[in-house]
Amino acid sequence: MKLTKKSHACVRLEKEGQTLVIDPGGFSEEDAALGADAILVTHEHPDHFDEFRLRAAMENNPAAHIWTLKSVADQVEAAFPGRVHTVGHGDTFTAAGFDVQVHGELHAVIHPDIPRITNVGYLIDGGKVFHPGDALTVPGQAVETLLVPVMAPWNKISEVIDYVREVGPRRAYDVHDALLTDLALPLYEGHLGRLGGTEHQRLHPGAWTEV
């Protein structure tokens, strides 16, 4: 499987001529979802869900489908009848040849005064890749490649390190990193690399690797 990092929380997965895109949000490239056969969205925040990017991808490929939670599906399903699928914790499905399990229910706490919204994570092909969205969800089974939300208004580095340790993946790649400056990136990478207990790497936007 080929994994390509896009800006912020978005990644593209490719295998056997099919492409799956996760979280093409407003911080990602405008063409982040173009060419996708399937799109997964973890939650409704604009850095993960951008209606312009979804519509462009769906119009570019009339066979493309979206899987997401209800708050996002409600905003796009009228434009693409039969092509938007609502999912929640515990669901399993196949999207563009990828087997997907849904894990998690709520976004991490930003502040007690801010109501929590729904957030789901996606476990791909039995644990090859796990994207948790905006939560430190532990899927409860082996994970080869964990996409780690390294910096957000709702987390701190000690929590991220403990999350990587708890999931125990074979390797971890950064996502949710657009809020970090170039000066801060080496600090985060150093802490995760030394303390996370697994192989840790950062892919720059546009870079790819085999997983």
Side-chain angles (χ1 to χ4, degrees):
M1 185 189 305
K2 178 180 178 180
L3 183 154
T4 302
K5 172 75 165 66
K6 307 300 286 184
S7 294
H8 198 51
C10 181
V11 296
R12 294 174 67 99
L13 303 175
E14 299 172 64
K15 71 170 186 178
E16 300 175 358
Q18 300 259 66
T19 299
L20 173 71
V21 176
I22 306 176
D23 279 1
F27 293 175
S28 302
E29 297 81 358
E30 288 192 3
D31 63 352
L34 287 183
D37 300 290
I39 303 169
L40 311 181
V41 180
T42 62
H43 65 288
E44 66 197 79
H45 284 161
D47 56 326
H48 296 255
F49 160 55
D50 180 80
E51 189 171 346
F52 166 79
R53 286 160 176 74
L54 290 187
R55 286 180 177 271
M58 296 290 277
E59 291 167 359
N60 176 259
N61 180 5
H65 285 244
I66 297 171
W67 282 262
T68 187
L69 35 69
K70 186 177 186 300
S71 58
V72 173
D74 286 347
Q75 299 183 55
V76 295
E77 61 186 352
F80 304 103
R83 299 170 62 194
V84 180
H85 312 277
T86 302
V87 298
H89 176 68
D91 287 342
T92 61
F93 57 92
T94 300
F98 294 83
D99 295 325
V100 184
Q101 300 175 23
V102 184
H103 292 267
E105 299 180 83
L106 290 173
H107 192 287
V109 175
I110 300 172
H111 187 275
D113 290 353
I114 300 175
R116 295 175 74 182
I117 62 170
T118 308
N119 175 92
V120 295
Y122 297 108
L123 188 71
I124 310 298
D125 281 356
K128 281 282 188 183
V129 176
F130 183 57
H131 192 310
D134 271 12
L136 301 181
T137 301
V138 178
Q141 65 185 79
V143 173
E144 291 189 23
T145 300
L146 176 64
L147 302 176
V148 185
V150 293
M151 199 282 176
W154 49 266
N155 71 16
K156 58 184 179 180
I157 192 63
S158 64
E159 296 171 336
V160 176
I161 291 166
D162 287 345
Y163 175 58
V164 174
R165 289 178 173 180
E166 187 173 3
V167 175
R170 183 178 300 175
R171 67 186 72 86
Y173 293 110
D174 294 350
V175 292
H176 216 287
D177 52 1
L179 303 180
L180 286 173
T181 68
D182 290 341
L183 289 174
L185 282 169
L187 297 175
Y188 280 74
E189 292 171 7
H191 287 317
L192 283 167
R194 287 191 304 272
L195 302 173
T198 190
E199 175 190 342
H200 171 263
Q201 297 182 35
R202 180 171 189 269
L203 294 175
H204 293 276
W208 63 273
T209 187
E210 296 285 343
V211 297

